[in-house]
Amino acid sequence: GLATPMSIMVASGKGATVGVLFKNAEAIETLRKVNTLVLDKTGTLTEGKPKLVTVTGANGTDERTLVRLAASLERGSEHPLAAAIVLGAHERQVQLADAEDFASLTGRGVRGTVDGRTVALGNRKLLDELGVDPGSLAGDAERLRQEGQTVMFVAVDGKPAGLVGVADPIKETTPDAIRELHNEGIRIAMLTGDSRTTAQAVAAKLGIDEVLAEVLPDQK
């Protein structure tokens, strides 16, 4: 039956503390039987404040031009990684342009027109859809992912123009929290839309037990 309502305090993924009300005492008992905890990577295990750390131009596209095209396009996106690229452009004092025909492609990236050029920014799936071969950039991207960076390819006028790498630092409190949960016999699974290589790199640093990578927003 119903017991006296109880509340416990838990930390949300955005760093705030929120209260959860349990009206049924059985819910508390059920919670004690939990043996696996699934956590979203961004904003929960990490700070949720990604930063542009790598810019690599290709096929004659210099780094400043690449940042201008990528950031101008990403200004139309609400994704946290987009904000990191735009901020990175401002930090590099790169002037942005207006993007036209902007389109967000779920699970792949974005595309549009900047400075009269057709620009696409996203993962390998997006390049495959556009028929763009990343060439040597594929190897560069994999090396950056092994460092824990989220990597996005940039294609301009149907050709690979470079890649950008974004890193989201792990929260200082995360390692201790993971250890304490493990001490309680709880397995930790990490959920992320990021690539498997990037996710595995982060998981290895933290001792995460299971990784669920490349998960689309609606699947979460």
Side-chain angles (χ1 to χ4, degrees), residues 87-170:
L87 179 60
H90 290 318
E91 291 176 341
R92 291 165 174 76
Q93 299 183 331
V94 174
Q95 186 174 2
L96 303 186
D98 292 328
E100 301 176 350
D101 302 321
F102 175 84
S104 179
L105 310 170
T106 302
R108 286 109 73 208
V110 294
R111 66 183 181 188
T113 302
V114 180
D115 292 338
R117 309 177 73 179
T118 301
V119 183
L121 182 149
N123 56 27
R124 183 61 184 267
K125 292 179 182 178
L126 179 59
L127 292 191
D128 291 343
E129 285 184 12
L130 299 175
V132 176
D133 183 357
S136 62
L137 289 176
D140 294 337
E142 191 65 10
R143 283 190 290 275
L144 293 173
R145 292 189 189 106
Q146 290 171 358
E147 297 175 6
Q149 292 188 40
T150 300
V151 182
M152 290 154 282
F153 296 101
V154 181
V156 178
D157 294 331
K159 297 180 180 179
L163 56 80
V164 292
V166 173
D168 187 6
I170 294 171

Side-chain angles (χ1 to χ4, degrees), residues 6 11 21 24 26-27 38 45 65-66 73 86-87 98 109 113 119 128 133 161 172 178 188 205 207 211 213:
M6 301 176 62
L21 180 67
N24 191 325
E26 292 180 3
V38 180
L45 299 174
T65 298
L66 186 66
L73 180 61
V86 173
L87 179 60
D98 292 328
T113 302
V119 183
D128 291 343
D133 183 357
E172 291 184 4
I178 296 297
I188 307 298
K205 291 180 181 178
V211 173

Side-chain angles (χ1 to χ4, degrees), residues 28 54 88 106 203:
I28 301 292
T54 300
T106 302

Side-chain angles (χ1 to χ4, degrees), residues 3-49:
T4 302
M6 301 176 62
S7 81
I8 60 173
M9 306 306 289
V10 297
S12 73
K14 300 302 181 183
T17 300
V18 297
V20 180
L21 180 67
F22 291 87
K23 292 184 178 181
N24 191 325
E26 292 180 3
I28 301 292
E29 292 302 318
T30 300
L31 187 62
R32 289 178 180 145
K33 298 177 182 176
V34 169
N35 57 21
T36 301
L37 184 62
V38 180
L39 300 172
D40 195 11
K41 176 173 75 70
T42 303
T44 302
L45 299 174
T46 67
E47 293 180 0
K49 298 177 181 178

